[in-house]
């Protein structure tokens, strides 16, 4: 009963979001609540929902301040040199931009943390895509592919869970599939090339040249020789005053910024060059601390934003303007994360996930015993849409590994097969992971559109790596 109810909840969720019959936000909240009521958990609904919200609260806090931090840096022009460099290198070519997106994602995702990967890559590249008129689904899709493959690293969540669940080490789980991972990286680069070529064809031949090329010619595009202007850059200079002459010829009066009147504390602005250097050093330090996990991620972003806003926008009026400007982005992303917390809280608290795991294992025919590694590898990516990583790796994987062991197959082979797709290539599409909503929220696309656009490419990544694992002997057919 609970297993059927859980599978039905996930199926309806995917159906209504992919067909746009309901918004993801509404579906994530109301469908699990309805399932809990049908399952007889009305009395525990408050506790189950609150438990799920509490679990994702740190992620929600981190994302709120991370979005504010990177939005501030975009406004301040931190990424302008990177944007101009990419535009110069790409020469207005969407294909080159798409491949560069894949390369950047593969590098940034080495830390094994999807949330920080999405925050950094999307913040840096979305302005480029907007300037060239490229489809943001290409951005979210290529980042999804790159982050999915790199989530296989030994310090990534899926591999850590697989090793813990079966009491194995990285030499038994990760090292044998490293060549297969190389196949996956090569496929991601190939897929980005194909997607980029398709986007180039959609936009047509760039003649007359794209804005980036026109900008270098210089007459009507001042940003060819200067950093891209931003509203926050102007706001960061409160001492800059314009003068105006009144109609009756009175003495010109200074036009003051808010909080600049008599008695206000004067905060002299930093020179723009030094401010850019400070922002760069602060961001590098923040990213290094994120990778090293010096402090919990929410704490790092809270501190980083507080320091950044104090230096870049020292007055309260400027800080309030910044918050007003980016409030929409913060609300859109954080509400999705908390809505996902309602879904996972109810599915986990009612034990629906556990029952779903047992039901899935029970339908695996005994004749598949000797072929379980291949079956696990091929089904792992699609099942990322159904099972949370904890439910799969701690609920499903041990049973599958024990079943394979009964047929003379090394349980380590099942673990290797699992990390080729389950919450690796599949996690940036799953509604069960909060980081997915960071990716789609910051890219400005809906979850259903993102899934329809990139699912087959992500599934192909798993198939390519499975073939690579078979060829290199990571597991047998």
């Amino acid at each position: 009963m609970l297993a059927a109810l859980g599978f039905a909840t996930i199926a309806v969720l995917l159906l209504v979001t992919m067909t746009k019959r309901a918004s993801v936000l509404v579906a994530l909240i109301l469908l699990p609540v309805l399932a809990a009521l049908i399952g007889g958990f009305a009395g525990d609904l408050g506790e189950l929902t609150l438990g799920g919200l509490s679990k994702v609260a740190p992620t929600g806090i981190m994302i709120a301040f991370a979005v504010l931090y990177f939005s501030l840096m975009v406004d301040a022009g931190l990424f302008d040199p990177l944007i101009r460099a990419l535009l110069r290198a790409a020469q207005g070519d969407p294909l080159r931009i798409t491949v560069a997106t894949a390369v950047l994602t593969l590098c940034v995702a080495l830390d094994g943390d999807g949330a920080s990967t999405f925050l950094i890559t999307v913040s840096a590249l979305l302005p480029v895509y907007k300037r060239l008129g490229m489809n943001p689904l290409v951005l979210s899709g290529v980042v999804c592919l790159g982050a999915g493959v790199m989530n296989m690293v030994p310090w990534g969540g899926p591999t850590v869970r697989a090793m813990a669940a079966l009491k194995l080490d990285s030499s038994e789980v990760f090292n044998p599939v490293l060549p297969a991972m190389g196949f996956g990286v090569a496929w991601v680069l190939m897929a980005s090339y194909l997607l980029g070529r398709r986007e180039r064809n959609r936009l047509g031949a760039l003649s007359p040249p794209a804005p980036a090329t026109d900008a270098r010619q210089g007459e009507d595009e001042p940003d060819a020789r200067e950093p891209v202007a931003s509203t926050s850059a102007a706001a960061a200079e409160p001492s800059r005053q314009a003068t105006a002459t009144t109609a009756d010829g009175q003495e010109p009066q200074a036009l003051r910024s808010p909080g600049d009147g008599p008695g206000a504390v004067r905060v002299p602005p930093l020179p723009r060059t030094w401010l850019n250097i400070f922002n760069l050093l602060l961001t590098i330090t923040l990213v290094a601390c994120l990778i090293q996990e010096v402090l919990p991620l929410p704490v790092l972003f809270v501190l980083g934003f507080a320091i950044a806003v104090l230096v870049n926008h020292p007055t309260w009026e400027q800080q309030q303007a910044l918050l007003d400007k980016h409030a929409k982005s913060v609300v859109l992303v954080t509400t999705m994360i908390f809505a996902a917390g309602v879904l996972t809280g109810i599915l986990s608290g009612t034990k629906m996930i556990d029952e779903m795991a047992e039901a899935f294992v029970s339908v695996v025919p005994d004749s598949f015993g000797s072929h379980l590694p291949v079956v696990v590898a091929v089904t792992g990516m699609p099942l990322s849409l159904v099972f949370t990583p904890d439910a799969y790796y701690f609920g499903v994987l041990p049973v599958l590994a024990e079943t394979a062991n009964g047929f003379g197959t090394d349980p380590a082979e099942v673990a290797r097969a699992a990390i080729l797709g389950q919450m690796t290539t599949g996690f940036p599409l799953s509604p069960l992971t909060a980081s997915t909503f960071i990716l789609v929220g910051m890219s400005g696309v809906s979850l259903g559109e993102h899934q329809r656009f990139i699912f087959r490419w992500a599934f192909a990544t798993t198939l390519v790596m499975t073939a690579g694992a078979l060829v290199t002997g990571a597991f047998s057919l």
Side-chain angles (χ1 to χ4, degrees), residues 119-132:
L119 287 166
I120 294 170
T121 54
V122 176
S123 296
L125 294 173
L126 185 59
V128 178
Y129 278 70
K130 287 183 175 179
R131 185 174 299 188
L132 294 179

Side-chain angles (χ1 to χ4, degrees), residues 117-208:
T117 298
F118 300 152
L119 287 166
I120 294 170
T121 54
V122 176
S123 296
L125 294 173
L126 185 59
V128 178
Y129 278 70
K130 287 183 175 179
R131 185 174 299 188
L132 294 179
M134 294 177 64
N135 186 352
L137 284 170
V138 176
L139 172 60
S140 65
V142 173
V143 171
C144 162
L145 296 179
V149 170
M150 297 309 294
N151 207 36
M152 290 173 58
V153 293
W155 49 90
T159 305
V160 168
R161 287 181 175 89
M163 292 187 295
L166 301 184
K167 298 179 175 58
L168 303 170
D169 59 40
S170 61
S171 64
E172 297 173 284
V173 177
F174 176 73
N175 291 3
V177 296
L178 188 56
M181 184 178 176
F183 280 77
V185 170
W187 165 251
V188 168
L189 295 175
M190 174 61 71
S192 66
Y193 174 84
L194 296 174
L195 289 169
R197 187 174 64 179
R198 189 171 71 180
E199 188 67 2
R200 174 205 276 171
N201 294 336
R202 185 185 72 84
L203 294 173
L206 295 180
S207 180

Side-chain angles (χ1 to χ4, degrees), residues 8-32:
T9 301
I10 297 296
V12 174
L13 173 66
L14 295 174
L15 177 64
V16 299
T17 54
M18 295 184 73
T19 59
K20 296 185 178 180
R21 299 295 178 86
S23 69
V24 177
L25 179 66
V26 171
L28 285 171
I29 296 173
L30 295 186
L31 287 178

Side-chain angles (χ1 to χ4, degrees), residues 180 183 374 377-378 420 460-475:
F183 280 77
V374 175
V378 172
L420 295 182
T461 308
T462 290
L463 296 180
V464 168
M465 291 195 294
T466 300
L470 289 170
V471 170
T472 57
F475 50 79

Side-chain angles (χ1 to χ4, degrees), residues 44-71:
D44 300 321
L45 186 59
E47 182 180 350
L48 295 172
T49 304
L50 188 59
L53 291 172
S54 300
K55 192 168 184 178
V56 300
T59 301
I61 294 169
M62 178 195 73
I63 298 311
F65 283 93
V67 170
L68 288 173
Y69 179 88
F70 284 109
S71 297

